Amino acid sequence: MAERAEELRRARDVASRLRRIVDSALGAGRTRTAQGRDIDEHQPHTERLAYLATETLAVETLLDYAEAAGERDPLATGEAIVFTGQVAGRARAQIGDALETFGLEQAELDKTLDATEARAFIRGALDDRRIEAIGARVVEWRGTPDCYLEGELERMTREAVRDFARAEVAPIAQHIHLDDELVPEAIIAKMAELGFFGLAVPVEYGGQGMGNLAMILTTEELSAASLAAAGSLITRPEILTKALLGGGSDEQKRTWLPRLAAGQIMAAISVTEPDTGSDVASVKVRAERTAQGGREGWLISGAKAWCTFAGRADVIAMLCRTDPDLAKGAKGLSLFIVPKERFPGHQFVMRQEGGGVIEGKADRTPGYRGMHSYTLQIERYFVAGENLVGGEGRGFYLQMNGFAAGRLQTGGRATGLAQAALEAAAHYANERSQFGQPIGRYGLTRYKLGRMAVEIAAARQLTYHAARVFDREEGRAVEPSMAKLFACDVAVRTTQEAQLLHGGWGFAEEFPICRYVVDALVLPIFEGVKPVLELKVIGRALLS
Ligand SMILES: Cc1cc2nc3c(=O)[nH]c(=O)nc-3n(C[C@H](O)[C@H](O)[C@H](O)COP(=O)(O)OP(=O)(O)OC[C@H]3O[C@@H](n4cnc5c(N)ncnc54)[C@H](O)[C@@H]3O)c2cc1C
């Protein structure tokens, strides 16, 4: 007990040294980039700083958790110590190798991460035996113990969702993936019944009003069963809900939120276009004022890309250009709720009486199957005036607000998927024997599993922290983006390491680990592709 407290105290000391040097590097980065205005002149360094700051926050949140959890999570202290050592050790080397680039002096490193006590801590933290010991527990327990949650409501939420995910989603997840099927209506109906679509919708609009941590816990459990056919189903209503709460009129909130919360309507989100991805301010799909059958409204025309779930969705939240002057950039964009009928297949044509058409064709993808992602051709599609959310010219701001919520939720998606991969690998390590013993008895297997468990714990606590921050300050972009950045990388690394532990069987499509790998690959791409998230969201927020 006393030993644990002492180790955590030393880890905390190193974490505060790390914080000091990272803050100095950020300060120098601000000067170098003229308070963020010249980020594009220094992209590699901005990326470096964004990642370092993200990992530093992850260290702090994991240490906070280990202190709070105590013995209630038997792995927490070890994980926090290893992760602190890992990030501090890498930061010391990275900064030490490029002091000038970081704008720092050797003396600052000497006082912080290069100090004798810091070096000793890092050496001890990264001792192979310590990491192997964590991995040995992972093998023995076929995963990691549930992380400690203070709130009873949160613990109950996690358990209830897990029961549902294991009983209803996990048994069909592999079939949906292999046959590229659409998620069955029965799953949507049960998720609606259990209130999963309204977790973060305020009670006055028919939701659960449970806040973002409950939403993350739900997401994690659903994503562990299936990223695409369960965990990601709540991303779209989450994004649209936040956009409506951020800028919808009272009438719009009363009209749409209860139906979204009840799962009566499914939403798709359509921002990306064939030629426009990260540069959202350049969206080209046009919406022009019109009147049809005595109704004021808009005619939408153009092409969209990668609109996930557009076939099944009842509404598409679509970002369109209402001001034809391209020079207006983001200020010329508006957000519409575009109603349509449901279509089950990989292709659909939605025709309106007045001649408007939306044609959708799903693009084939190696993973993230279950909702299909469509390219859309839209021709003079009529949308009533009351479906313009938040007024003309506010679409970009509302969409970004929605994306902040989406990124937070993706932190939960990635953590759930990584946890599933870890558990699959731990099971396999028990079952598979080579050279006369289960592969889980080998030191390297244990070491690898230990590293995975450490990184997942850090991704989880960073995401929970971001959820709590988001509860306090709706629309805050930086912590959710950090959670998304780090957790998605952890999911990619963990799934690939777990696949390797499966040897040749990891490459067999019948094994879920094969699905986990291809599903994870999409995580760093959407909702802000990784480099753009680092530069334009995290880097800009830290340096300006
Ligand atoms: C399976 C899947 C589902 C999706 N679902 C949806 C959805 O439902 N709705 C939706 O609207 N979109 C969706 N997307 C689209 C996704 O959000 C975009 O792919 C993403 O935003 C990146 O845009 P892009 O693909 O056009 O890449 P680009 O913007 O072309 O970026 C490609 C690369 O260029 C480089 N780059 C770009 N800009 C810069 C810069 N300023 N500085 C330095 N480097 C830069 C980076 O290396 C980047 O990775 C989905 C995508 C996929 C793959």
Side-chain angles (χ1 to χ4, degrees):
M1 186 84 168
E3 196 185 329
R4 192 183 71 80
E6 174 55 18
E7 279 204 303
L8 280 177
R9 192 199 59 71
R10 291 178 61 216
R12 186 60 86 174
D13 171 62
V14 170
S16 62
R17 291 167 186 272
L18 174 67
R19 169 57 64 193
R20 282 207 300 282
I21 195 101
V22 168
D23 280 351
S24 292
L26 287 171
R30 273 179 216 116
T31 307
R32 192 166 168 204
T33 61
Q35 310 302 318
R37 284 189 300 280
D38 296 343
I39 277 177
D40 282 340
E41 311 303 315
H42 305 280
Q43 286 197 344
H45 190 56
T46 301
E47 194 231 24
R48 212 172 276 133
L49 289 174
Y51 216 92
L52 201 50
T54 298
E55 288 193 313
T56 301
L57 184 61
V59 164
E60 291 162 348
T61 58
L62 188 55
L63 277 171
D64 288 345
Y65 167 70
E67 284 164 4
E71 304 291 332
R72 287 172 287 214
D73 180 340
L75 293 187
T77 300
E79 289 170 341
I81 287 164
V82 173
F83 191 65
T84 306
Q86 182 179 314
V87 174
R90 232 183 5 236
R92 187 188 65 197
Q94 192 183 29
I95 295 170
D97 286 348
L99 277 169
E100 247 175 63
T101 310
F102 279 94
L104 298 173
E105 305 281 336
Q106 180 63 41
E108 283 179 84
L109 207 52
D110 290 343
K111 274 189 282 175
T112 52
L113 297 178
D114 246 349
T116 312
E117 53 274 43
R119 293 179 77 108
F121 171 83
I122 293 167
R123 254 194 322 275
L126 297 182
D127 184 88
D128 290 346
R129 298 286 171 226
R130 182 194 291 276
I131 300 170
E132 280 178 50
I134 296 174
R137 298 283 82 77
V138 174
V139 173
E140 185 187 344
W141 296 329
R142 297 182 182 234
T144 46
D146 281 343
C147 97
Y148 164 68
L149 292 169
E150 204 182 324
E152 169 78 8
L153 188 67
E154 276 124 20
R155 287 199 295 273
M156 281 164 54
T157 301
R158 180 171 63 190
E159 210 157 298
V161 182
R162 183 176 300 170
D163 287 348
F164 164 79
R166 288 189 176 167
E168 311 277 349
V169 180
I172 56 169
Q174 199 63 4
H175 157 73
I176 293 172
H177 168 70
L178 290 177
D179 293 350
D180 198 8
E181 295 273 325
L182 200 62
V183 56
E185 287 299 321
I187 293 287
I188 297 176
K190 279 182 191 151
M191 284 176 62
E193 198 182 309
L194 292 166
F196 293 167
F197 298 115
L199 286 168
V201 176
V203 177
E204 60 181 305
Y205 296 115
Q208 320 289 321
M210 282 171 72
N212 288 297
L213 185 55
M215 183 274 289
I216 289 294
L217 293 165
T218 304
T219 299
E220 248 188 273
E221 294 303 326
L222 293 174
S223 303
S226 171
L227 177 75
S232 301
L233 275 181
I234 60 178
T235 317
R236 273 135 276 279
E238 190 60 32
I239 293 174
L240 181 52
T241 292
K242 289 297 187 314
L244 278 163
L245 288 172
S249 65
D250 283 349
E251 198 183 332
Q252 285 171 334
K253 289 181 205 165
R254 278 198 306 276
T255 304
W256 298 108
L257 289 176
R259 296 162 74 196
L260 282 169
Q264 278 168 7
I265 55 168
M266 287 289 117
I269 306 293
S270 189
V271 175
T272 309
E273 298 178 353
D275 295 329
T276 307
S278 306
D279 184 10
V280 175
S282 298
V283 154
K284 290 188 196 64
V285 162
R286 281 282 285 129
E288 293 172 283
R289 274 189 194 281
T290 190
Q292 217 175 67
R295 288 180 84 191
E296 294 289 315
W298 300 81
L299 281 182
I300 299 182
S301 298
K304 288 284 186 186
W306 293 110
C307 185
T308 302
F309 218 32
R312 163 61 178 83
D314 305 279
V315 294
I316 302 177
M318 194 178 284
L319 193 63
C320 303
R321 182 160 295 283
T322 42
D323 188 326
D325 182 2
L326 279 175
K328 293 263 171 64
K331 293 198 180 89
L333 301 177
S334 305
L335 181 64
F336 292 89
I337 297 182
V338 180
K340 60 174 276 300
E341 288 162 23
R342 296 176 182 177
F343 298 94
H346 290 80
Q347 251 172 304
F348 70 88
V349 183
M350 169 74 210
R351 290 186 196 282
Q352 288 180 315
E353 273 180 17
V357 183
I358 303 180
E359 268 186 75
K361 187 170 181 305
D363 289 278
R364 285 183 65 80
T365 56
Y368 198 55
R369 295 168 176 172
M371 290 186 291
H372 311 330
S373 298
Y374 298 79
T375 297
L376 304 177
Q377 301 295 335
I378 309 147
E379 263 179 61
R380 300 179 65 77
Y381 196 84
F382 178 78
V383 178
E386 64 263 26
N387 287 15
L388 167 63
V389 182
E392 254 185 283
R394 292 197 65 214
F396 182 84
Y397 156 78
L398 293 174
Q399 192 67 60
M400 290 305 137
N401 205 26
F403 271 151
R407 286 175 191 140
L408 172 63
Q409 202 247 347
T410 301
R413 289 197 275 178
T415 306
L417 179 60
Q419 181 72 29
L422 176 75
E423 288 174 16
H427 270 90
Y428 195 77
N430 278 287
E431 308 308 329
R432 179 72 170 176
S433 284
Q434 286 298 288
F435 302 99
Q437 64 170 352
I439 59 169
R441 293 220 189 118
Y442 291 110
L444 188 55
T445 305
R446 291 177 170 186
Y447 180 85
K448 297 275 185 195
L449 288 167
R451 294 292 289 246
M452 289 183 218
V454 166
E455 290 211 324
I456 294 170
R460 178 175 287 119
Q461 293 310 321
L462 180 59
T463 304
Y464 292 1
H465 171 76
R468 292 184 185 111
V469 170
F470 211 66
D471 274 340
R472 287 196 299 271
E473 199 183 327
E474 189 102 311
R476 184 161 167 99
V478 68
E479 287 86 358
S481 300
M482 286 176 161
K484 189 217 176 234
L485 171 67
F486 183 68
C488 293
D489 275 0
V490 168
V492 171
R493 278 197 293 272
T494 306
T495 50
Q496 292 182 4
E497 284 286 3
Q499 184 183 44
L500 208 55
L501 266 174
H502 282 72
W505 296 112
F507 205 58
E509 283 200 325
E510 291 303 322
F511 276 67
I513 188 63
C514 209
R515 164 168 57 97
Y516 301 157
V517 171
V518 285
D519 277 356
L521 291 176
V522 76
L523 291 167
I525 295 176
F526 52 36
E527 288 168 347
V529 67
K530 183 178 162 182
V532 174
L533 192 68
E534 292 168 322
L535 298 174
K536 304 265 176 204
V537 186
I538 302 172
R540 190 175 283 164
L542 295 172
L543 296 179
S544 59

